[in-house]
Amino acid sequence: QIYIDPWKLPAGAPKADVILVTHAHFDHFSAEDIAKIEKPGTAFVAPADVAGKLSGKKVVTAAPGGQYTVGALKISAVPAYNVGKQFHPKTNGWVGYIVTLSNGERVYHSGDSDVIPEMDQVKADVALMPCGGTYTMTAAEVAAAANRFKPAILVPMHWGDIIGAKADADAVAKAFTGK
């Protein structure tokens, strides 16, 4: 089982083999949720500020541009940051991930990011991107970015709780033209 930024998990969620954390905000690095799914041997991949809080665990410290192997997974850490707002500064070294599964399928999780130039280099079969606006991309920005790098599947995320609504996810679906 692979988790990225586990948060608000139900009781009894499957235990994790690998947990990837994109950044230190509470809705991405939740010690309470990690405790629900961690087991002996769970591997973590996280940026430096989060990795420092996971002492005593099997942790790979990720930085933008880094390439890592965890079990059968190949993991690329990609930049994730805001442009023109300071919620997720580039200087923090926070990340998104491209996870290459054992079958070769590539899953991109953009982390909390705006549309950034580095997204044009993404090669992924599945993309998970936040569409809530305010702290991250808007629905229109998500669709436009994904329409450039052309994943087969786009999953709008980070809506319906702190910010964003189902209408944002629906707008992404309407504007995404697919591969």
Side-chain angles (χ1 to χ4, degrees), residues 112-129:
D112 272 8
S113 188
D114 283 327
V115 177
I116 55 176
E118 295 90 341
M119 284 180 184
D120 287 337
Q121 306 307 310
V122 169
K123 290 179 179 32
D125 303 295
V126 177
L128 298 97
M129 300 174 75

Side-chain angles (χ1 to χ4, degrees), residues 62-63 106 117 147 176 178:
R106 294 175 314 262
N147 284 337
F176 176 58

Side-chain angles (χ1 to χ4, degrees), residues 47-79:
D49 60 345
V50 174
K53 297 175 183 173
L54 294 168
S55 62
K57 302 182 188 308
K58 182 180 172 184
V59 182
V60 173
T61 302
Q67 304 285 323
Y68 313 98
T69 300
V70 178
L73 301 176
K74 292 183 176 137
I75 300 169
S76 300
V78 296

